[in-house]
Amino acid sequence: MTEGFDRHRRLRRTRGLRNMVQETQLSADDFIAPLFVVEGENIKNEVPSMPNVFQYSLDRVNEELDAIAALGIPSVMVFGVPGYKDACGSSAYAEDGIVQQAVRHIKERHPELVVCADTCLCQFSDHGHCGVLEDGYVQNDASLELLAKTAVSQATAGADVIAPSNMMDGFVVSIREALDDAGFAHIPIMSYAVKFSSAFYGPFRDAAHSSPSFGDRKTYQMNPANRLEALREADSDEREGADFLMVKPALSYLDIIRDLRNTSNLPVVAYNVSGEYAMMKAAALQGWINEQETVLEKLLSMKRAGADLILTYHAKDAARWLAES
């Protein structure tokens, strides 16, 4: 008797068979771990809206760095929380700025770690916006000069990757030219190419003290409703010299990750943002979900959508769970 259906379950019958035909793999090598570094001494402050995520002063940060390295996570993204803010965010590009100090410290402690430096002005400015303000509006071209200056200062400190997150028009080419002119033609740019104006950023602003003092960031971050605009943004950054393309946030924008994977040959980075992390943590603390299974499924979905790398606050947990399994 000829059967009128396919038997797909044959390849699911045992764990060994399932592992043999698994199409998408997740490993610690895929992760970038965020790191919040603050000025001061003996500081380890848990972020209220992000359980198990901490701000560290430089004299306490080794415990976090050592844990990241021991788990085989290859890279960190450094976010600085300065002690001084002004209208132009000058501590973002100061030689002794908190990010610059942190980069030097990390490369001395763990030279094998790939250090990515977040390149923006929002947490360094007293108004909390990602550029230079004039009459309440962020001035694009004037901001580019300061962002390029910041990138060069971070590369000078030893950053392996410059990761601009500001969403100004032309930020990639401006930073690329500045890096090249300063002798850093070998330093890649991980562009926050597609950064939506998202409600999922709230906990990060607690961690980085980067909330805008007025208004919002919708004049430079993207409308969550737009898909074709995301492709235009990414295409511009690739033509201007980006080496990686990031999509932020990740979980609600898996279609955009897939679009970039289908249209670009550059490495694609998914930013599993703070709000996505906080939701998982809150549900897990209530006992509503199995945190390990849910988080690994979520991260696997980002890889399946086309991400090569994932910037995630779950990096340490996920690396530990993968090693245990």
Side-chain angles (χ1 to χ4, degrees):
M1 178 178 175
T2 302
E3 297 172 344
F5 55 87
D6 298 322
R7 293 194 176 272
H8 300 290
R9 289 181 58 194
R10 289 173 182 150
L11 300 183
R12 304 173 193 153
R13 186 172 56 86
T14 68
R15 180 184 178 91
L17 281 168
R18 291 192 298 272
N19 288 343
M20 286 175 63
V21 299
Q22 181 167 321
E23 299 172 19
T24 305
Q25 305 294 330
L26 191 66
S27 78
D29 286 335
D30 299 323
F31 302 144
I32 303 170
L35 189 67
F36 293 100
V37 184
V38 300
E39 294 188 8
E41 295 181 352
N42 195 31
I43 297 172
K44 182 183 178 181
N45 293 332
E46 187 172 29
V47 180
S49 52
M50 300 176 71
N52 296 327
V53 173
F54 297 86
Q55 300 170 328
Y56 294 92
S57 54
L58 289 179
D59 60 333
R60 293 289 302 273
V61 76
N62 286 348
E63 58 189 276
E64 180 73 352
L65 292 172
D66 294 349
I68 289 168
L71 287 165
I73 298 167
S75 180
V76 294
M77 179 73 75
V78 180
F79 299 97
V81 183
Y84 170 77
K85 301 187 179 191
D86 58 22
C88 60
S90 62
S91 56
Y93 46 84
E95 182 180 348
D96 61 349
I98 186 60
V99 170
Q100 289 76 3
Q101 292 183 58
V103 169
R104 288 191 288 267
H105 179 88
I106 297 167
K107 295 307 292 185
E108 181 176 347
R109 178 78 175 185
H110 286 287
E112 78 284 359
L113 282 177
V114 176
V115 178
C116 307
D118 180 75
T119 307
C120 198
L121 301 176
C122 57
Q123 62 262 45
F124 301 94
S125 65
D126 54 16
H127 47 73
H129 282 280
C130 302
V132 177
L133 279 182
E134 185 177 321
D135 297 327
Y137 186 79
V138 176
Q139 300 300 306
N140 194 90
D141 295 5
S143 301
L144 295 179
E145 296 179 20
L146 299 185
L147 292 164
K149 192 174 180 179
T150 300
V152 170
S153 73
Q154 293 169 339
T156 302
D160 298 295
V161 179
I162 299 301
S165 58
N166 53 87
M167 288 297 285
M168 296 296 110
D169 292 336
F171 70 91
V172 173
V173 68
S174 297
I175 289 173
R176 182 73 273 158
E177 290 176 354
L179 290 172
D180 291 354
D181 289 345
F184 295 111
H186 58 290
I187 298 297
I189 295 175
M190 180 182 290
S191 170
Y192 286 60
V194 183
K195 183 177 180 180
F196 290 93
S197 179
S198 172
F200 287 101
Y201 300 153
F204 175 90
R205 292 170 182 170
D206 287 343
H209 299 171
S210 62
S211 296
S213 60
F214 67 92
D216 54 42
R217 294 171 176 153
K218 293 181 179 180
T219 65
Y220 43 101
Q221 295 178 358
M222 279 185 52
N223 184 340
N226 291 357
R227 182 180 180 187
L228 295 179
E229 183 183 6
L231 297 179
R232 296 197 299 270
E233 285 277 4
D235 179 66
S236 293
D237 288 4
E238 183 167 353
R239 286 187 287 103
E240 292 174 10
D243 301 282
F244 304 80
L245 299 175
M246 184 186 291
V247 177
K248 178 183 181 183
L251 194 57
S252 294
Y253 300 90
L254 297 178
D255 59 323
I256 306 300
I257 294 173
R258 171 47 56 184
D259 284 340
L260 292 198
R261 179 72 291 141
N262 289 341
T263 57
S264 175
N265 292 321
L266 293 181
V268 175
V269 184
Y271 192 158
N272 177 210
V273 299
S274 59
E276 297 166 349
Y277 173 88
M279 289 191 304
M280 293 286 180
K281 279 293 184 183
L285 289 170
Q286 290 293 328
W288 295 336
I289 63 171
N290 179 305
E291 183 179 10
Q292 176 175 336
E293 292 179 0
T294 307
V295 168
L296 291 179
E297 181 179 339
K298 172 193 68 172
L299 297 175
L300 194 65
S301 76
M302 297 169 194
K303 282 292 297 291
R304 191 186 65 247
D308 299 287
L309 299 168
I310 304 171
L311 173 56
T312 176
Y313 301 95
H314 288 288
K316 289 192 300 177
D317 286 339
R320 189 178 302 111
W321 294 329
L322 291 168
E324 291 169 353
S325 65

